[in-house]
Amino acid sequence: MPSVFIKTYGCQMNERDSEAVAAQLVAKGYTLAPSETVADVVLLNTCSVRDFAEKKAIGKMQNLAADVRKNRPNVVLGFMGCMAQSRGQELIDKLPDVDLVLGTQKFHHAADYLDEILTGHRDKIVDVAAESGSEATIREHLLYGNIARNGDGHRPPLQITAYVSIMQGCNQRCTFCIVPDTRGEERSRSIPDIVAECRQLVSQGVKEITLLGQIVTSYGKRGGSSREPENFLPSTLDARPSTTKTPFVQLLEAVHEIEGLQRIRFTSPHPKGYGDDLIEAYARLPKLVESAHLPVQSGSDRVLKLMHRGYTRERFLGLIKKLRRARPDIGITTDIIVGFPGETEDDFELTLSLAREVEFDNAYLFKYSPRRDTPAAEMPDQVPLKIREERNHRLLETINEIGKRKYDAFVGRRTQILVEGPSRKNPARMTGRTRCNKIVVFEGSERHRGQLLDVKITRAGSFTLYGDPAILGED
Ligand code: 5AD
């Protein structure tokens, strides 16, 4: 059977989609190739959020066509995901070596399409059509990588944590964002369907689940494969009328009931949809860890309005206050765009001051990148690249300085981590994650994988903590 290599660009949703495609192919007998140079099929799962992400994937494909194809003419090359969706046929016109262009609602057809190409039944395939029900097809996992079963049928899971896709698409129409075009309208899976997937993962050794969606706070609000409202209700309801809780909080409650599951995370919420019921859920559901990724995008009300974000600086700050009241140790991260069209120095200063006021644990900074067919791309007063770069640099310094203070404050403290596996940078060491989503590296061994450990933090590096193995106490 052929081997496949999937390279993933972009967000956790993309990572999850790649995993689902890999699992689908493995189920059909494919092996996972260790690199693109030896694979029979190379797929690039692409991101369109910024021009830079698209350029990287296109450059990579050009290299693949020049190097890999030259030595092995039969290798199959494909684009999938967001850029595949937004550019479609245009990608093959530009790069004739590409055999497959698979849109964001078509991942579940990967095996069939590759089969048609590998057997010579079809030459090129482009499928970027919308497909109803596709949100419920991202469900297969690859918990064991390439590891075969032992004689007794048992395999140790490689993955202690798993992503579960709960919805697809976005209806927010932020003026800078291409995602509504690449991911389509919001469509949610049903609670029973998601819970069944989570249960299955937990029965296979997964301890922590991250619920994924473009805007998880909009979960269940619109359409999808389960239009019936009762499908969204958890199996057992407490005494409160469900109408006071959003479907997302109902989903959290249902997942929370799964025995053996230790931790629940989710990403990304929209500040606009972050209601009191969700804040209250943090105080009430112990498995929901004290961590929130809340994209703020800007600290200026004027810019937030131009962006169509639907909240003000004050409302965002109020939300942070409430979250910290519910869980004082909560780790809060964000996304910020610098140099949005019309952003003045004063607007940018407001973003700097917001970052200082909130004291984010970390922030992902994005230089504004005009995207096709988005309103912001046509707005006046586009900010020159030089200024975008300069602001990015200044904000990064602030974020790093705050982050360092926050991480340093952990030194000397005991904290619980869930051990995920060997450190990527140094496989001789193990890594785990605190409940507030900080990575902790320590001198552990394979036997710690999957355990909840209390570690004492001895040192803080750049957005990494180090734990002392001498004072490891196992739960
Ligand atoms: N330019 C720069 N950053 C963007 N993002 C989304 N669209 C753009 C764009 N056109 C950022 C936002 C979002 C993150 C995933 O990507 O900050 O939260």
Coordinates of all heavy atoms in Angstrom, one line a residue, residues 102-149:
L102 N -8.4 19.6 -2.4 CA -9.5 19.1 -1.6 C -9.9 20.2 -0.7 O -9.2 20.6 0.2 CB -8.9 17.9 -0.8 CG -9.9 16.9 -0.2 CD1 -10.7 16.2 -1.2 CD2 -9.1 15.9 0.7
G103 N -11.2 20.6 -0.8 CA -11.7 21.7 0.0 C -12.0 21.3 1.4 O -11.9 20.1 1.8
T104 N -12.4 22.3 2.2 CA -12.6 22.0 3.7 C -13.8 21.2 4.0 O -14.0 20.8 5.2 CB -12.7 23.4 4.4 OG1 -13.7 24.2 3.8 CG2 -11.4 24.1 4.4
Q105 N -14.7 21.0 3.1 CA -15.9 20.1 3.4 C -15.8 18.8 2.7 O -16.7 18.0 2.6 CB -17.2 20.8 2.9 CG -17.3 22.2 3.5 CD -18.6 22.9 3.4 OE1 -19.6 22.2 3.3 NE2 -18.7 24.2 3.4
K106 N -14.5 18.5 2.3 CA -14.3 17.2 1.5 C -13.3 16.3 2.0 O -12.9 15.3 1.3 CB -13.9 17.6 0.0 CG -15.0 18.5 -0.7 CD -16.2 17.6 -1.0 CE -17.3 18.4 -1.5 NZ -18.5 17.6 -1.8
F107 N -12.8 16.5 3.3 CA -11.7 15.7 3.8 C -12.0 14.2 3.8 O -11.2 13.4 3.5 CB -11.4 16.1 5.2 CG -10.9 17.5 5.3 CD1 -11.5 18.5 6.1 CD2 -9.7 18.0 4.6 CE1 -11.0 19.8 6.3 CE2 -9.3 19.3 4.7 CZ -9.9 20.2 5.5
H108 N -13.3 13.9 4.0 CA -13.7 12.5 4.1 C -13.6 11.8 2.7 O -13.8 10.6 2.7 CB -15.1 12.3 4.8 CG -16.1 13.2 4.1 ND1 -16.1 14.5 4.1 CD2 -17.3 12.8 3.5 CE1 -17.1 15.0 3.4 NE2 -17.9 13.9 3.0
H109 N -13.4 12.5 1.7 CA -13.3 11.9 0.4 C -11.9 11.6 0.0 O -11.6 11.1 -1.1 CB -14.0 12.7 -0.7 CG -15.4 12.9 -0.6 ND1 -16.3 11.8 -0.6 CD2 -16.2 14.0 -0.3 CE1 -17.5 12.3 -0.4 NE2 -17.5 13.6 -0.3
A110 N -10.9 12.0 0.8 CA -9.5 11.9 0.5 C -9.1 10.5 0.0 O -8.5 10.4 -1.1 CB -8.6 12.3 1.7
A111 N -9.5 9.5 0.7 CA -9.0 8.1 0.3 C -9.6 7.8 -1.0 O -8.8 7.2 -1.9 CB -9.5 7.1 1.4
D112 N -10.9 8.0 -1.3 CA -11.5 7.7 -2.6 C -10.8 8.4 -3.7 O -10.5 7.8 -4.8 CB -13.0 7.9 -2.6 CG -13.7 7.0 -1.7 OD1 -13.1 5.9 -1.4 OD2 -14.8 7.3 -1.3
Y113 N -10.6 9.7 -3.5 CA -10.0 10.5 -4.6 C -8.5 10.1 -4.9 O -8.1 9.9 -6.0 CB -10.0 12.0 -4.3 CG -11.4 12.6 -4.3 CD1 -11.7 13.8 -3.7 CD2 -12.4 12.0 -5.1 CE1 -12.9 14.4 -3.8 CE2 -13.7 12.6 -5.1 CZ -13.9 13.8 -4.5 OH -15.2 14.3 -4.6
L114 N -7.8 9.8 -3.8 CA -6.4 9.3 -4.0 C -6.4 8.0 -4.7 O -5.6 7.7 -5.6 CB -5.7 9.2 -2.7 CG -5.3 10.6 -2.1 CD1 -4.8 10.4 -0.6 CD2 -4.3 11.3 -2.9
D115 N -7.3 7.1 -4.4 CA -7.5 5.9 -5.0 C -7.7 6.0 -6.5 O -7.0 5.4 -7.4 CB -8.6 5.1 -4.4 CG -8.6 3.6 -4.8 OD1 -7.5 3.1 -4.7 OD2 -9.7 3.1 -5.1
E116 N -8.5 6.9 -6.9 CA -8.8 7.2 -8.3 C -7.6 7.7 -9.0 O -7.3 7.3 -10.2 CB -10.0 8.2 -8.5 CG -11.3 7.6 -8.1 CD -12.4 8.6 -8.3 OE1 -12.5 9.2 -9.4 OE2 -13.2 8.9 -7.3
I117 N -6.8 8.5 -8.4 CA -5.6 9.1 -9.0 C -4.5 8.0 -9.1 O -3.9 7.8 -10.1 CB -5.1 10.3 -8.2 CG1 -6.2 11.5 -8.3 CG2 -3.8 10.8 -8.7 CD1 -5.9 12.7 -7.4
L118 N -4.3 7.3 -8.0 CA -3.2 6.3 -7.9 C -3.5 5.2 -8.9 O -2.5 4.6 -9.5 CB -3.1 5.7 -6.5 CG -2.4 6.7 -5.5 CD1 -2.7 6.3 -4.1 CD2 -0.9 6.7 -5.7
T119 N -4.8 4.8 -9.1 CA -5.1 3.8 -10.1 C -5.2 4.2 -11.5 O -5.4 3.5 -12.4 CB -6.4 3.0 -9.7 OG1 -7.4 4.0 -9.6 CG2 -6.3 2.3 -8.4
G120 N -5.0 5.5 -11.7 CA -5.0 6.1 -13.1 C -6.3 6.3 -13.7 O -6.5 6.6 -14.8
H121 N -7.4 6.2 -12.8 CA -8.8 6.4 -13.3 C -9.0 7.9 -13.6 O -9.8 8.2 -14.4 CB -9.8 5.8 -12.4 CG -9.9 4.3 -12.5 ND1 -9.1 3.5 -11.7 CD2 -10.6 3.6 -13.3 CE1 -9.4 2.3 -12.0 NE2 -10.3 2.3 -13.0
R122 N -8.4 8.7 -12.8 CA -8.5 10.2 -13.0 C -7.2 10.8 -12.9 O -6.3 10.3 -12.1 CB -9.5 10.8 -12.0 CG -11.0 10.5 -12.4 CD -11.9 10.9 -11.3 NE -12.2 12.3 -11.3 CZ -13.0 12.9 -10.4 NH1 -13.6 12.2 -9.4 NH2 -13.2 14.2 -10.4
D123 N -7.0 11.9 -13.7 CA -5.7 12.5 -13.7 C -5.6 13.6 -12.6 O -4.8 13.5 -11.7 CB -5.6 13.2 -15.1 CG -4.2 13.8 -15.3 OD1 -3.3 13.3 -14.6 OD2 -4.1 14.7 -16.1
K124 N -6.6 14.5 -12.6 CA -6.6 15.6 -11.6 C -7.9 15.7 -11.0 O -9.0 15.5 -11.7 CB -6.3 17.0 -12.3 CG -5.1 17.0 -13.2 CD -3.9 17.6 -12.5 CE -2.7 17.6 -13.4 NZ -1.5 17.5 -12.6
I125 N -8.0 16.0 -9.7 CA -9.3 16.1 -9.0 C -9.3 17.4 -8.2 O -8.4 17.7 -7.4 CB -9.6 15.0 -8.1 CG1 -9.7 13.7 -8.9 CG2 -11.0 15.2 -7.4 CD1 -10.0 12.4 -8.1
V126 N -10.3 18.3 -8.5 CA -10.5 19.5 -7.7 C -11.9 19.4 -7.1 O -12.9 19.2 -7.9 CB -10.4 20.8 -8.6 CG1 -10.8 22.0 -7.7 CG2 -9.1 20.9 -9.2
D127 N -12.1 19.3 -5.8 CA -13.4 19.3 -5.2 C -13.5 20.2 -4.1 O -12.9 20.0 -3.0 CB -13.8 17.9 -4.8 CG -15.3 17.8 -4.4 OD1 -16.0 18.9 -4.5 OD2 -15.8 16.7 -4.1
V128 N -14.1 21.4 -4.3 CA -14.2 22.4 -3.2 C -15.7 22.8 -3.0 O -16.0 23.8 -2.5 CB -13.4 23.6 -3.6 CG1 -11.9 23.3 -3.6 CG2 -13.8 24.3 -4.9
A129 N -16.6 21.9 -3.4 CA -18.0 22.2 -3.3 C -18.4 22.1 -1.8 O -17.7 21.5 -1.0 CB -18.9 21.2 -4.0
A130 N -19.6 22.8 -1.5 CA -20.1 22.6 -0.1 C -20.8 21.2 0.0 O -21.3 20.7 -1.0 CB -21.2 23.7 0.1
E131 N -20.7 20.7 1.2 CA -21.4 19.3 1.3 C -22.1 19.3 2.7 O -21.5 19.4 3.7 CB -20.3 18.2 1.3 CG -21.0 16.9 1.3 CD -20.0 15.7 1.1 OE1 -19.0 15.9 0.3 OE2 -20.2 14.7 1.7
S132 N -23.4 19.2 2.6 CA -24.1 19.2 3.9 C -23.8 18.0 4.7 O -23.7 16.9 4.2 CB -25.6 19.4 3.6 OG -26.2 18.1 3.3
G133 N -23.7 18.2 6.0 CA -23.3 17.1 6.9 C -21.8 16.9 7.1 O -21.4 16.0 7.9
S134 N -21.0 17.6 6.3 CA -19.6 17.3 6.4 C -19.0 17.6 7.7 O -18.0 17.1 8.1 CB -18.9 18.1 5.3 OG -19.0 19.5 5.5
E135 N -19.7 18.5 8.5 CA -19.1 18.8 9.8 C -19.0 17.6 10.7 O -18.2 17.6 11.7 CB -19.9 19.9 10.5 CG -21.4 19.6 10.9 CD -22.3 19.6 9.8 OE1 -21.9 20.0 8.6 OE2 -23.5 19.3 10.0
A136 N -19.9 16.6 10.5 CA -19.9 15.4 11.3 C -18.9 14.3 10.9 O -18.9 13.3 11.4 CB -21.3 14.9 11.4
T137 N -18.1 14.6 9.8 CA -17.3 13.6 9.3 C -15.8 13.7 9.8 O -15.0 12.8 9.5 CB -17.2 13.7 7.7 OG1 -16.7 15.0 7.4 CG2 -18.6 13.5 7.1
I138 N -15.5 14.7 10.6 CA -14.2 14.8 11.1 C -14.1 14.1 12.5 O -14.3 14.7 13.5 CB -13.7 16.3 11.2 CG1 -13.8 16.9 9.8 CG2 -12.3 16.4 11.7 CD1 -13.8 18.4 9.8
R139 N -14.0 12.8 12.4 CA -14.2 12.0 13.7 C -13.2 11.0 13.9 O -13.1 10.4 15.0 CB -15.6 11.4 13.7 CG -15.9 10.5 12.5 CD -17.3 10.2 12.3 NE -18.0 10.1 13.6 CZ -19.3 10.4 13.7 NH1 -20.0 10.7 12.7 NH2 -19.9 10.3 14.9
E140 N -12.4 10.6 12.9 CA -11.4 9.5 13.1 C -10.1 10.1 13.7 O -9.7 11.1 13.3 CB -11.1 8.8 11.7 CG -12.3 8.4 10.9 CD -13.3 7.6 11.7 OE1 -12.8 6.8 12.6 OE2 -14.5 7.7 11.5
H141 N -9.6 9.3 14.6 CA -8.3 9.8 15.3 C -7.2 8.8 15.0 O -7.4 7.6 14.6 CB -8.6 9.9 16.8 CG -9.5 11.0 17.2 ND1 -9.0 12.2 17.6 CD2 -10.9 11.1 17.1 CE1 -10.1 13.0 17.8 NE2 -11.2 12.3 17.5
L142 N -6.0 9.3 15.3 CA -4.8 8.5 15.1 C -4.0 8.4 16.4 O -2.9 8.9 16.5 CB -4.0 9.2 14.0 CG -3.0 8.5 13.2 CD1 -3.7 7.5 12.3 CD2 -2.2 9.4 12.3
L143 N -4.6 7.8 17.3 CA -4.0 7.8 18.7 C -2.7 7.0 18.8 O -1.9 7.2 19.6 CB -5.0 7.3 19.7 CG -6.3 8.0 19.9 CD1 -7.2 7.4 20.9 CD2 -6.0 9.5 20.3
Y144 N -2.5 6.1 17.8 CA -1.4 5.2 18.0 C -0.3 5.4 16.9 O 0.6 4.7 16.8 CB -1.9 3.8 17.9 CG -3.0 3.5 18.8 CD1 -4.3 3.4 18.4 CD2 -2.7 3.3 20.2 CE1 -5.3 3.2 19.4 CE2 -3.7 3.1 21.1 CZ -5.0 3.0 20.7 OH -6.0 2.8 21.6
G145 N -0.4 6.5 16.1 CA 0.6 6.7 15.1 C 0.8 5.5 14.2 O -0.2 4.9 13.8
N146 N 2.0 5.1 14.0 CA 2.4 4.0 13.2 C 2.5 2.7 14.0 O 2.9 1.6 13.5 CB 3.7 4.2 12.4 CG 3.4 4.8 11.1 OD1 2.3 4.8 10.6 ND2 4.4 5.3 10.4
I147 N 2.3 2.8 15.3 CA 2.5 1.6 16.2 C 1.5 0.5 15.9 O 0.3 0.7 16.0 CB 2.6 2.0 17.6 CG1 3.7 3.0 17.9 CG2 2.6 0.8 18.6 CD1 3.8 3.5 19.3
A148 N 2.0 -0.7 15.7 CA 1.1 -1.8 15.4 C 0.7 -2.4 16.8 O 1.3 -2.2 17.8 CB 1.8 -2.9 14.6
R149 N -0.4 -3.2 16.7 CA -0.9 -3.9 17.9 C 0.1 -4.9 18.4 O 0.8 -5.5 17.6 CB -2.2 -4.6 17.6 CG -3.4 -3.7 17.7 CD -4.6 -4.6 17.2 NE -5.6 -3.7 16.7 CZ -6.5 -3.1 17.5 NH1 -6.5 -3.2 18.8 NH2 -7.4 -2.3 16.9

